[in-house]
Amino acid sequence: MKTIDELLTEGVAGRRVFVRADLNVPLDGTTITDDGRIRAVLPTVAKLAEAGARVVVASHLGRPKGAPDPAFSLAPAAARLGELLGADVAFATDTVGDSARATVAGLTDGQVAVVENLRFNAGETSKDDAERGAFADRLAELADVYVGDGFGAVHRKHASVYDLPARLPHYAGYLIATEVGVLKKLTTDVKRPYAVVLGGAKVSDKLGVIDHLLEKADRILIGGGMVFTFLAAQGHEVGASLLQEDQIPVVKEYIERAKERGVEFVLPVDVLVAGEFPDMKTKAPAHPATVAADAIPAGQMGLDIGPESRKLYASKLADTATVFWNGPMGVFEHPDYAEGTRAVAQALIDSPAFTVVGGGDSAAAVRILGFDENAFGHISTGGGASLEYLEGKTLPGLAALEG
């Protein structure tokens, strides 16, 4: 995989460089609530601009249905990128149409433009190779060189991620190079003890990574809504908690495999419960009760790990050399259910280990709960991409850059 440093050595002044970024930021109307992904691509964009490239930045945002939708416009992200660069960023109101062609043609050396949401075009996400390829052909007309730096999308076989690199000289940006280097430390060059903390709502979303990590990890700590399927697999009642009954057999199998391989599964010993899901708009006090994890009352739902579990999890992370964390421990967006996630984040900071926060809700939690991002070894920009890499899957976007 050739990197941006090799491209810069070759020279980029006056060349149109297409940067496939990940500007898929959360929006409240037109207000960006977390600009972490924009900051992540900043080193690549800034370096290319400084070297005199005419930089064309493209990304998706949200899940529009293959047609323009103002709710998913990249205009706010383009404006924020300009603020972070300290320079004007041009914005094309389409992706491959008249506005995009005119905007790119108007760039001078060192200038940056953002084109509109790639997913406003059905060809971007099409499963038909010809339709995707036709869209990639039109994108290729806007550039001389391709730089892949949207790590959060490399697990997608999309036109701008998979097909476009085959049509242009292609290089990996700084973000992708960093992400791949970090993930190798979690798969092929692991320092032990190696602990994995997995949370989030559904155990089905994490089965693949658990299956793969049973061969690599020394400890797997489970939290979030997915923990109740594990508790049910051990024969415990879980009340009204989130439960995927159809996954209980495979969870039982994983627990047995873990015992056979000497991998420690760590489950909470207590949980915070309430009779209903908290009001996420008003964040009104929820008044949860703390109960033993094996004694959740009927009609009560578990919404966070409890205080004894927080201590237990911190102790299991204290002597590690490598930690990967993906998924919150509870409904961290509500203050009454944020302490489990906060405790895990603090335990990672306190640990001497190389710590990786695996994108998605975990990365959002770090920022929302006010932690210093620099206190962690690495915060990934791609939760899904990180998990698929750890599952041992081939990621289309990385394969395209290596081709």
Side-chain angles (χ1 to χ4, degrees):
M1 185 185 296
K2 292 194 289 187
T3 68
I4 187 175
D5 284 332
E6 294 173 76
L7 172 60
L8 291 166
T9 299
E10 296 170 12
V12 294
R15 302 172 77 185
R16 299 170 302 163
V17 180
F18 187 103
V19 178
R20 202 325 181 166
D22 180 7
L23 308 181
N24 186 27
V25 292
L27 294 172
D28 182 1
T30 59
T31 301
I32 296 170
T33 57
D34 182 354
D35 68 357
R37 284 176 170 164
I38 301 175
R39 291 180 179 275
V41 78
L42 199 62
T44 290
V45 174
K47 194 72 172 181
L48 288 167
E50 288 169 10
R54 302 179 183 191
V55 187
V56 182
V57 180
S59 175
H60 70 287
L61 192 151
R63 295 179 181 273
K65 301 183 184 300
D69 183 338
F72 297 107
S73 175
L74 277 173
R80 182 59 179 148
L81 178 61
E83 291 172 359
L84 293 169
L85 286 170
D88 289 337
V89 168
F91 181 67
T93 56
D94 57 29
T95 306
V96 291
D98 292 342
S99 179
R101 290 193 295 272
T103 300
V104 173
L107 290 175
T108 59
D109 293 3
Q111 286 192 320
V112 178
V114 173
V115 296
E116 187 55 284
N117 194 333
L118 289 160
R119 292 186 183 174
F120 285 0
N121 302 266
E124 169 67 2
T125 59
S126 175
K127 289 181 169 41
D128 181 83
D129 291 348
E131 185 178 9
R132 255 194 357 266
F135 182 52
D137 287 339
R138 296 185 69 189
L139 290 171
E141 294 172 2
L142 300 175
D144 305 305
V145 180
Y146 177 93
V147 171
D149 215 29
F151 180 74
V154 293
H155 59 313
R156 306 296 188 191
K157 192 176 182 181
H158 291 170
S160 65
V161 175
Y162 178 75
D163 302 274
L164 183 56
R167 289 156 167 79
L168 295 169
H170 47 270
Y171 304 80
Y174 290 125
L175 175 60
I176 280 185
T178 297
E179 294 272 14
V180 171
V182 166
L183 288 168
K184 285 181 178 178
K185 292 183 179 181
L186 300 177
T187 52
T188 59
D189 185 23
V190 182
K191 293 183 179 179
R192 300 184 179 280
Y194 178 20
V196 177
V197 185
L198 295 175
K202 295 182 178 180
V203 69
S204 56
D205 293 339
K206 305 288 168 70
L207 289 178
V209 74
I210 293 172
D211 181 55
H212 206 66
L213 288 172
L214 280 172
E215 308 298 319
K216 298 181 180 296
D218 299 301
R219 291 175 200 147
I220 301 177
L221 288 65
I222 304 292
M226 61 186 284
V227 80
F228 302 106
T229 303
F230 278 84
L231 292 172
Q234 293 185 327
H236 303 310
E237 292 296 328
V238 296
S241 305
L242 182 64
L243 174 64
Q244 291 185 283
E245 289 191 53
D246 61 321
Q247 302 298 333
I248 289 177
V250 71
V251 167
K252 284 183 176 179
E253 178 197 333
Y254 286 173
I255 291 172
E256 287 304 311
R257 277 178 54 199
K259 287 179 182 177
E260 293 170 3
R261 296 192 58 80
V263 177
E264 185 181 8
F265 257 122
V266 183
L267 300 177
V269 293
D270 59 350
V271 295
L272 299 186
V273 300
E276 59 185 5
F277 199 80
D279 188 326
M280 299 305 292
K281 289 186 177 180
T282 65
K283 306 289 176 74
H287 306 296
T290 301
V291 301
D294 59 359
I296 299 173
Q300 297 285 298
M301 64 178 70
L303 295 164
D304 194 14
I305 62 173
E308 293 305 314
S309 300
R310 295 173 215 151
K311 295 176 187 175
L312 172 65
Y313 284 27
S315 72
K316 295 295 183 180
L317 297 172
D319 65 344
T320 51
T322 305
V323 181
F324 173 72
W325 171 33
N326 181 280
M329 298 294 99
V331 187
F332 74 92
E333 300 92 341
H334 192 286
D336 287 350
Y337 302 107
E339 293 310 306
T341 302
R342 188 188 304 278
V344 165
Q346 188 62 53
L348 263 65
I349 292 173
D350 294 340
S351 168
F354 174 64
T355 57
V356 179
V357 180
D361 286 341
S362 306
V366 164
R367 290 187 274 269
I368 290 170
L369 298 177
F371 288 98
D372 179 2
E373 295 180 50
N374 295 322
F376 302 87
H378 179 70
I379 297 180
S380 178
T381 58
S386 295
L387 289 176
E388 291 199 15
Y389 189 101
L390 292 179
E391 287 177 38
K393 292 183 177 180
T394 297
L395 306 188
L398 297 185
L401 291 174
E402 290 166 351

